[in-house]
Amino acid sequence: MRHTDWRSLAGATFTCEKQPASASRGMIVTNHPLASAAGAEMLTAGGNAIDAATAALFTLTVVEPMMVGVLGGGIAHIRLANGTHHVLDGQSTAPLATGPTTYTPDPEAAPGTMDAVGRRNAVGPTAVAVPGNLMGWCEALRRFGTFSLADVTEPAIRHASRGFRVTPYLQESVSFSAADLARDAEIAKLYLPAGLPIEAGTRLVTGDYAESLRSIAREGPDILYGGELGRCLAEHMAEEEGFLTLDDLTGYRTVDRAPLRGLYRGYEIVGPPPPSSGPLHIIQMLNILEGYDIGALGFATPDTLHLLTEVLKIAFADRAAATADPAFVQVPVSKLLSKDYAAERRARIRMDRTQSWSARVAPGEGAHTTHLTVADGLGNVVASTQTINNLFGACYIVPGTGMIPNNYMRVFDPHPGRANSVAPGKRVTSSMSPVMVLRDGRLRYALGLPGGLRIFPTVMQVLSNLIDHGMSVQEAVEAPRLWTQGYGVEVEASLPESVLAVLRDRGHDVAAVNSVGCGMSAIQFDADGTMTGAACWRADGTPIGLGGGLARPGVV
């Protein structure tokens, strides 16, 4: 049951730190104001949502370089004005030279992590998977956009060549990664001038990267997938004993996938299928929660938080056992989406005590990413999650190009014989969840966020905030969150100690953290055509809406 006065039942309340934007002719929500402005520039010039999203993504590679780049991977969920949904999988793949025993698991690794001895899957050329972003973005533009590649890369080239002001968020990211960045002279020159993290407010110019973008604008994606930039990358890999080769680049392909669909209290949830694990397990968790009146239990009450924690444990147990690249693993999608399976799992939940959960299915990533949500006035919508995996990816720059490679090999399980073990050509399993929500066939919400393993748990909670608690879209994205994958429970520090004490009494190992997941970008669509864009305090998220319009005919 949907409750509209959520505060009267809540175990915790909060005040939003940001304001939403409202518009009728277009909305762009990204995690940097210059990227949102780049998307708005395309819409005001007459482009559509795909043009705007592509321009924003290229700009994010400049102004949010710790999160995304052309040498990364990601997934775009596109809804066209005719109501059709398209999932374009541009995720990275394991190089052909890798396999189940490429890495040695670190015996000191924390539970649930994918650490390898010597961090060979985390830092440097041995951590790099075959990139898919550039091909995916160019393909989306070619198939669904209206502008040229030169048009949509122009804002990114402008900011790379002229420079932009470093935000405190970027500066904090550099400080966090400083030890790894210091290992490479090229990247340290930019982000660790004089050996210290670049200061917020500094004007950062990335001239080599501007030249690479100009080359991409002239020659298209082939310049990476077999051309000059690809040869630069492959030659550097060979020099540094990395695994990626030119054959990996020339053989890379994107994949079109049919979206998954599920129902929660009359709302249709639509999102990418495996190897993206997010929407599959979002629907699984919502199916379990559907047996409870979450709205009546109240937002952030001990009972609601207990249930959220238990369904997260169930989902992560099943994810570890059976969710991976469907070309290599038979993922039990139908069972995981089944209402009967949800009822079976729900029947074992105890309200008075937490418990350990094991997988009941069998087969037959990093926290730093970016996400944008874009809509135009014609009915085209893009929700796209893209990444280089961890902060600054593999933490180096390919000499002379300005390009930062991914460290996506860290998403694979370094242990052999598991669903997500390394295999040549295998696509990474991600938690990406660029989701759209329909009601009676009409688009109601489009949203997503960065955050690695915290992505799909956060999307599930935000959907519950919207559907169960009746929050506004701004409230839903800013509300306090929790996360667990079956071990300790992370809760944002704004939740009151009295609520956490009850959770501890039920056996939960609770620890307060500054934030769970990263900045969400969301758009709400109303029946009168109004779009409301919302971003949260966990990143530099900025919604920009397009109103107004052209002159009425005959005014002259």
Side-chain angles (χ1 to χ4, degrees):
M1 181 177 177
R2 184 183 177 96
H3 291 259
T4 55
D5 183 18
W6 67 268
R7 292 178 182 274
S8 65
L9 300 170
T13 59
F14 60 92
T15 301
C16 290
E17 297 185 25
K18 295 187 178 183
Q19 294 294 320
S22 181
S24 59
R25 296 180 56 231
M27 181 66 65
I28 306 95
V29 192
T30 82
N31 276 336
H32 195 285
L34 290 178
S36 296
E41 186 177 336
M42 298 300 112
L43 291 185
T44 55
N48 67 13
I50 295 84
D51 301 317
T54 309
L57 285 169
F58 276 110
T59 301
L60 284 166
T61 70
V62 176
V63 299
E64 205 183 27
M66 68 288 199
M67 299 294 185
V68 66
V70 294
L71 297 185
I75 296 175
H77 180 186
I78 300 169
R79 177 182 166 94
L80 298 180
N82 62 11
T84 59
H85 288 252
H86 302 263
V87 174
L88 186 58
D89 182 344
Q91 278 289 22
S92 294
T93 59
L96 297 176
T98 61
T101 59
T102 294
Y103 306 104
T104 302
D106 186 346
E108 304 298 321
T113 62
M114 303 297 183
D115 296 343
V117 169
R119 302 180 67 218
R120 294 180 72 243
N121 65 346
V123 180
T126 58
V128 181
V130 185
N133 270 351
L134 181 59
M135 184 177 289
W137 301 351
C138 292
E139 187 170 329
L141 182 69
R142 176 183 60 81
R143 291 170 57 187
F144 306 116
T146 65
F147 283 176
S148 70
L149 187 56
D151 290 332
V152 300
T153 54
E154 195 278 331
I157 294 169
R158 184 170 71 239
H159 295 306
S161 58
R162 297 181 185 176
F164 65 97
R165 298 293 181 186
V166 172
T167 68
Y169 185 45
L170 173 52
Q171 191 274 336
E172 289 175 9
S173 298
V174 172
S175 296
F176 184 87
S177 306
D180 286 334
L181 297 177
R183 296 160 51 130
D184 178 68
E186 288 272 342
I187 203 166
K189 180 172 60 178
L190 287 176
Y191 300 105
L192 298 172
L196 297 174
I198 191 168
E199 294 185 2
T202 302
R203 191 176 187 88
L204 178 62
V205 175
T206 51
D208 285 348
Y209 187 54
E211 286 305 313
S212 292
L213 288 173
R214 289 188 181 100
S215 298
I216 290 168
R218 286 193 305 268
E219 301 186 36
D222 287 348
I223 195 172
L224 176 61
Y225 298 96
E228 179 185 355
L229 289 180
R231 288 192 294 273
C232 288
L233 175 58
E235 288 168 6
H236 186 253
M237 281 281 168
E239 292 169 3
E240 299 296 327
E241 300 183 346
F243 302 115
L244 189 149
T245 68
L246 195 61
D247 285 345
D248 289 309
L249 293 169
T250 57
Y252 181 83
R253 298 291 184 273
T254 60
V255 179
D256 280 317
R257 300 192 186 276
L260 292 182
R261 297 173 183 267
L263 284 174
Y264 181 63
R265 307 193 199 279
Y267 288 81
E268 185 178 22
I269 317 298
V270 186
S276 175
S277 67
L280 176 63
H281 294 293
I282 289 168
I283 296 169
Q284 176 193 11
M285 291 186 289
L286 291 175
N287 282 342
I288 298 171
L289 292 177
E290 200 167 34
Y292 305 92
D293 189 344
I294 301 298
L297 291 176
F299 171 75
T301 61
D303 281 348
T304 295
L305 296 177
H306 173 77
L307 287 171
L308 294 176
T309 300
E310 295 303 284
V311 298
L312 282 172
K313 290 180 178 181
I314 291 168
F316 270 106
D318 286 341
R319 180 185 188 273
T323 305
D325 184 349
F328 290 78
V329 173
Q330 188 175 344
V331 183
V333 172
S334 296
K335 182 172 182 178
L336 288 167
L337 294 179
S338 163
K339 299 285 188 183
D340 290 340
Y341 182 61
E344 175 189 331
R345 294 300 241 169
R346 186 189 310 120
R348 291 193 55 230
I349 294 176
R350 291 177 52 181
M351 290 302 297
D352 64 334
R353 194 76 186 165
T354 187
Q355 56 189 305
S356 298
W357 295 88
S358 59
R360 295 294 298 274
V361 294
E365 104 240 45
H368 303 102
T369 307
T370 199
H371 178 91
L372 56 75
T373 306
V374 179
D376 59 31
L378 303 173
N380 301 295
V381 181
V382 179
S384 184
T385 310
Q386 309 287 329
T387 191
I388 49 175
N389 198 39
N390 288 129
L391 282 176
F392 294 98
C395 291
Y396 75 95
I397 285 176
V398 180
T401 71
M403 300 187 302
I404 301 174
N406 68 80
N407 70 333
Y408 240 148
M409 295 306 292
R410 194 178 183 216
V411 173
F412 289 106
D413 194 327
H415 299 84
R418 298 184 178 178
N420 197 34
S421 298
V422 181
K426 191 175 188 177
R427 266 177 154 72
V428 297
T429 300
S430 79
S431 296
M432 293 178 176
S433 304
V435 163
M436 300 189 194
V437 181
L438 286 69
R439 178 76 168 184
D440 298 325
R442 184 178 65 82
L443 184 63
R444 190 77 176 101
Y445 305 105
L447 52 85
L449 77 156
L453 291 174
R454 291 158 182 77
I455 293 176
F456 73 87
T458 297
V459 170
M460 178 270 291
Q461 292 171 69
V462 170
L463 293 179
S464 180
N465 292 342
L466 292 166
I467 296 170
D468 292 319
H469 302 300
M471 290 186 185
S472 71
V473 67
Q474 189 66 46
E475 291 171 333
V477 303
E478 292 207 36
R481 306 167 180 169
L482 62 74
W483 178 80
T484 183
Q485 60 174 325
Y487 308 104
V489 181
E490 296 178 1
V491 297
E492 290 188 338
S494 55
L495 290 172
E497 181 58 36
S498 59
V499 171
L500 304 187
V502 177
L503 292 178
R504 293 188 181 102
D505 287 344
R506 297 185 189 185
H508 295 285
D509 179 15
V510 179
V513 297
N514 289 332
S515 64
V516 169
C518 299
M520 176 170 277
S521 300
I523 300 176
Q524 175 177 306
F525 301 86
D526 292 330
D528 65 357
T530 301
M531 308 173 204
T532 303
C536 75
W537 52 268
R538 300 170 184 88
D540 293 329
T542 304
I544 295 179
L546 182 63
L550 302 178
R552 181 189 298 174
V555 297
V556 177

